[in-house]
Amino acid sequence: MLPNDFPPKSTVYEYYRNWQKDGTWSRIHDAMRSKVRAQRGKKPEASAALIDSQSVKTTETRGERGYDGGKKTKGRKRHLLVDTLGLIMCIVITAASVQDRDGAKLVFQQAADQQPQVETVWADSGYSGKLVSWTDDNCPWTLEVVRRPRDQVGF
């Protein structure tokens, strides 16, 4: 379903796979994120980030799947580290059954080398507990768990 002026799909796919393997897509993404941040008046590299996850339903396709009992969803879970503008810094896909704290460790391990300028990562209460001390021991940033005010109702 490529436009008529594109090369054959096998050629396009070969370029896509090669660029994925050699990191070209990641470099393009990171360069674009830096440009967007600069256009918004921010430093090109973020010093603060947020982590969260989202469970999504999947069909009977290949790959990891699991059941997220909290969301009552069978499928996969996206664990995202984003900057304060919501731009993706790191993403890890797991089975939905992977706990947020365990997924965060995977994200942090991947992001530690890629995002050395980050000083603080904020997270919701789903990331509290032993993850905070693990982060102190294994990551170059501080994990701050932000709790919802007790009197707050809804989102």
Side-chain angles (χ1 to χ4, degrees):
M1 298 188 61
L2 292 172
N4 291 334
D5 56 342
F6 272 51
K9 69 178 182 178
S10 60
T11 304
V12 172
Y13 183 73
E14 183 177 347
Y15 273 96
Y16 166 78
R17 288 292 295 158
N18 289 339
W19 289 358
Q20 185 179 31
K21 287 179 184 178
D22 72 11
T24 299
W25 284 122
S26 294
R27 288 191 301 278
I28 291 170
H29 178 265
D30 292 346
M32 294 299 295
R33 183 181 61 240
S34 295
K35 283 188 170 275
V36 169
R37 288 184 57 78
Q39 287 175 345
R40 298 277 182 95
K42 302 267 190 182
K43 292 180 181 177
E45 300 301 325
S47 62
L50 301 93
I51 188 163
D52 207 356
S53 67
Q54 180 184 34
S55 295
V56 292
K57 293 180 182 178
T58 57
T59 59
E60 298 293 327
T61 58
R62 298 183 311 189
E64 281 188 275
R65 289 183 306 146
Y67 183 73
D68 181 348
K71 300 280 196 287
K72 298 188 180 5
T73 301
K74 184 177 184 179
R76 294 188 182 101
K77 190 178 279 190
R78 298 184 274 236
H79 303 271
L80 292 160
L81 185 70
V82 299
D83 69 5
T84 56
L85 295 176
L87 302 173
I88 297 172
M89 299 171 76
C90 184
I91 184 168
V92 173
I93 309 296
T94 64
S97 56
V98 173
Q99 295 296 315
D100 288 353
R101 291 178 297 274
D102 298 329
K105 288 179 183 179
L106 299 172
V107 170
F108 289 168
Q109 287 169 343
Q110 188 177 58
D113 293 333
Q114 298 171 355
Q115 307 296 334
Q117 75 289 347
V118 173
E119 299 170 8
T120 305
V121 175
W122 292 296
D124 62 29
S125 58
Y127 295 91
S128 59
K130 294 179 182 179
L131 179 63
V132 176
S133 60
W134 181 91
T135 303
D136 290 341
D137 294 339
N138 295 284
C139 299
W141 50 74
T142 302
L143 177 63
E144 291 184 21
V145 176
V146 180
R147 303 203 188 288
R148 183 168 60 180
R150 291 179 190 235
D151 58 343
Q152 182 177 342
V153 178
F155 181 71

